[in-house]
Amino acid sequence: MDQVKSRTLPLSKRGMSFETFMWLFTRLTALAMYGFILVGVVGALVMGALNQMSFIEVLRWALMTNPGHVEYTNVADIAPWVSTFWRLVATGMFLTASSHGMHGVIVILDDYFAKASQRKWIRILNMLGFFIVAPIGLYVIWTA
Amino acid sequence: MGLNRNVSLKTGLQYKGQGPYLTYILHRIGGMGMAIFITLHILATFVEGRGWQIGDIINDIYISPFFQIFFIFCVLFHAINGMRITILDLFPALILHHRKAIMIEWIIFIVLYSFAVVTIITTAIGRL
């Protein structure tokens, strides 16, 4: 294969505009979420998921380490799954995922709504949605 | 500034962007699917805790195997495709191999998704 010189500028030469920051934020939050999922999978296996849960149940737990996600499994003792540690992991995952998602939704909608006023309302409504749903999500995580 | 596309919906659907375009559009469908359904799930769990039956009804839909098969498609595809995008973006020298990366992505996705679908079905049968 012919060697083609990369046209991508390194971050140091690109400068850190808001757009570049959000581009990097999206990638880094994605990496953080893989980290949270890995912690969830390893933790589930340590707590006996191999004999008590199916693959899909482990996956559901790893995506959000909320005790409600082991409610319908064959886990005999739910106590280790309801620790403060798992609530903190769930909080981290939730805030990372919701901020990543909020930005993602704005990026998608920007492709279909090009007027400045429409884009302004997309941002206002998205942020409003985030600030309404985020406390509700945290309440669910810490009271479940 | 406004949208001024001289492309009809029919022409748009016939766009032959091949593999990269398919992953691009599925990534968006998966992302929007998750944003909508996870938000609804959070709100449903909250109102279920307040004793409202509507929350219970919505969460029952989420537990159904048909919904899980659709939802896990959104999650797994978005996660695996996102991993490819992140790797290629953070290591731009690899962009030369993006078609190979898409093939590897599909292999990983098909293996994991098939396994997930089988366990969704067997878990649902086990609960009967």
Side-chain angles (χ1 to χ4, degrees):
Chain A
M1 186 189 295
D2 293 336
Q3 281 297 314
V4 182
K5 198 179 174 190
S6 171
R7 284 179 292 176
T8 311
L9 279 171
L11 270 179
S12 54
K13 289 183 182 170
R14 225 180 285 174
M16 189 54 83
S17 67
F18 180 72
E19 292 301 319
T20 313
F21 173 78
M22 289 315 291
W23 173 87
L24 190 62
F25 173 81
T26 308
R27 271 74 190 160
L28 295 181
T29 47
L31 288 176
M33 282 188 280
Y34 299 128
F36 284 124
I37 292 169
L38 189 66
V39 169
V41 170
V42 172
L45 292 172
V46 169
M47 292 187 291
L50 203 59
N51 300 314
Q52 298 169 331
M53 290 164 88
S54 68
F55 171 70
I56 194 69
E57 288 166 344
V58 172
L59 204 58
R60 194 188 309 141
W61 159 261
L63 287 168
M64 182 49 66
T65 55
N66 189 290
H69 287 174
V70 282
E71 207 176 331
Y72 299 98
T73 65
N74 292 327
V75 169
D77 180 18
I78 207 170
W81 306 76
V82 199
S83 67
T84 305
F85 172 74
W86 287 121
R87 290 187 200 278
L88 285 170
V89 173
T91 303
M93 179 68 171
F94 173 66
L95 292 175
T96 311
S98 49
S99 52
H100 177 100
M102 182 180 71
H103 179 250
V105 169
I106 290 173
V107 169
I108 292 174
L109 293 179
D110 271 359
D111 278 356
Y112 303 98
F113 298 94
K115 285 182 188 165
S117 61
Q118 289 172 332
R119 289 184 169 180
K120 191 179 94 178
W121 277 106
I122 284 167
R123 277 153 183 75
I124 291 171
L125 291 175
N126 254 285
M127 288 184 78
L128 196 66
F130 176 79
F131 287 115
I132 291 171
V133 176
I136 295 174
L138 291 176
Y139 176 83
V140 169
I141 288 169
W142 287 91
T143 56
Chain B
M1 185 171 54
L3 277 180
N4 186 19
R5 289 176 179 151
N6 296 319
V7 177
S8 67
L9 178 63
K10 191 184 165 198
T11 312
L13 291 173
Q14 287 170 337
Y15 174 61
K16 291 181 175 63
Q18 298 179 334
Y21 181 68
L22 183 65
T23 58
Y24 161 84
I25 207 73
L26 286 177
H27 192 77
R28 291 191 155 200
I29 292 170
M32 283 304 282
M34 280 196 287
I36 294 165
F37 293 117
I38 291 173
T39 304
L40 256 181
H41 180 45
I42 291 165
L43 297 175
T45 308
F46 176 71
V47 297
E48 192 182 3
R50 311 258 77 73
W52 293 14
Q53 208 188 355
I54 184 73
D56 204 20
I57 293 167
I58 293 172
N59 279 340
D60 278 351
I61 295 169
Y62 279 65
I63 296 166
S64 79
F66 300 107
F67 182 83
Q68 284 192 32
I69 287 170
F70 161 74
F71 188 69
I72 210 68
F73 178 92
C74 293
V75 173
L76 278 181
F77 191 86
H78 195 83
I80 295 167
N81 189 56
M83 175 79 87
R84 176 185 64 84
I85 293 169
T86 305
I87 292 170
L88 294 185
D89 277 355
L90 296 181
F91 303 97
L94 295 174
I95 287 173
L96 291 170
H97 308 286
H98 78 283
R99 282 194 182 268
K100 279 182 208 156
I102 290 173
M103 266 177 60
I104 294 167
E105 172 195 331
W106 274 110
I107 292 167
I108 295 170
F109 172 75
I110 289 166
V111 169
L112 279 180
Y113 185 60
S114 306
F115 192 43
V117 169
V118 168
T119 52
I120 287 169
I121 294 167
T122 51
T123 306
I125 291 169
R127 278 189 198 141
L128 289 176

